[in-house]
Amino acid sequence: MALLSTSHLATDFANGALPALIPFLKDRFSLSYTLVGVLVLASQASSSLIQPLFGLWSDRRGALWLLPGGVALAGVGIALAADAPRYWLVVLFVLVSGVGVAAFHPEGSKFAGYVSGRRRASGMAWFSIGGNIGFALGPVVTTFLVHEYGLRGGLLLAAPCLAIAVVALALTPYLGRFAPEAGAVRAYAGADQPRAMALLLAVIALRSVAWFGLITFVPLWEVHLGHSKSHGNHLLALMLFTGGIGTLVMGPLADRVGRRPVLLGSVVLTSPLIYVFLGVGGVPGTIALALVGACVVGTFGVTMVMSQEYLPRHIGMASGLSIGMSVGLGGIGAVVVGRVADATSLRTALYAAAAAPLLAIALAAMLPSSRRGLALEPELVVP
């Protein structure tokens, strides 16, 4: 789990660097809000929408090399994007980095489920915390490097990712001991529930519209209010760090009281907290933004476990879908938010995006228990 979580940290470190680069790239290329949203869409489309394909590959063949390979590609791509001389090259390298992110997650999530034992939500929380910390460190380190060395300093973002990729490459033979034997598929007993999975994906997608609206535009919102780019990136990092704390709370809580109640509670709280951040601001707004991170990021691991338990015979595909298709729609939402901001104002666009989780409340309430009929120990199923 330490290997998986650390690799997750490096992958999402690269992913988290992009929001911090956006204010500097906006100034460098004189970008509209819509073109800013396109950068996020490029990242999410490549890192999320193709994840189900990697998940299918993982289920059918297994591909442990995707773990170190994904980490390395994610870091190199975002580093080259930071110093790209043309906007189209920035988009291209962001796409490349996103492919690395997409390659890592299904295989990493699958093995995190394998090594978690009976406390799967808690185990997935430890896997997720690596990604949470990495995503939070991305803006902090990126802001420091760009302030000290300019956008060319962003090339250094590749260094920690490459270092961890080397370690992961050396240790993947040990992780391979948890892999199913050749010619067999490890699965959890129980039938797939495609309707429940569809509902869960809709909940995650609606929540992601608001989440990626914040990820993309919180730094620019703070600049709009007269604060510095650094201040906006620090607020972004705060939201992500508290998400990591929320992960450590939500995972064990989901094991204790159930996945669905924890997810439903987080969805109910998300929109009101965003409105406090936008409408009240100041210290209350900062606290509300931190709690948004705890609610949304804190339940990423919970939704991952739910997806694997809704599709117990295809857990690699389930992992790719839960992180992929639905979160990718959040990237599309970021473009829409940017277009609305260009047509009206950033305030109007963020208020509209914040309403999306309200639509997810009824869907979350309809979710069945993901633990019903689930055998906690894996069984070997031979095709």
Side-chain angles (χ1 to χ4, degrees), residues 212-259:
F212 283 101
L214 292 176
I215 288 289
T216 306
F217 294 109
V218 158
L220 296 176
W221 172 253
E222 293 301 315
V223 171
H224 170 75
L225 295 178
H227 301 298
S228 67
K229 298 182 181 71
S230 296
H231 177 74
N233 283 338
H234 290 156
L235 279 183
L236 180 62
L238 172 66
M239 180 174 67
L240 296 169
F241 273 119
T242 54
I245 296 172
T247 297
L248 295 178
V249 174
M250 299 293 189
L253 184 63
D255 276 330
R256 182 179 295 271
V257 304
R259 328 303 195 206

Side-chain angles (χ1 to χ4, degrees), residues 40 53 79 104 154 209 216 229 238 240 278 291 328-329 335 372:
V40 177
L53 299 179
F104 171 83
V209 171
T216 306
K229 298 182 181 71
L238 172 66
L240 296 169
L278 296 173
L291 291 175
L329 293 177
V335 176
R372 183 180 304 141

Side-chain angles (χ1 to χ4, degrees), residues 1-16 71 104-105 112 122-138 164 240-241 243-245 247-248 297 300-301:
M1 186 60 75
L3 170 63
L4 291 168
S5 187
T6 303
S7 300
H8 198 187
L9 183 154
T11 306
D12 281 1
F13 170 82
N15 207 15
V71 173
F104 171 83
H105 277 92
S122 297
M124 197 62 72
W126 283 108
F127 174 71
S128 297
I129 193 66
N132 299 157
I133 293 173
F135 210 107
L137 284 175
I164 292 175
L240 296 169
F241 273 119
I245 296 172
T247 297
L248 295 178
V297 179
F300 277 177

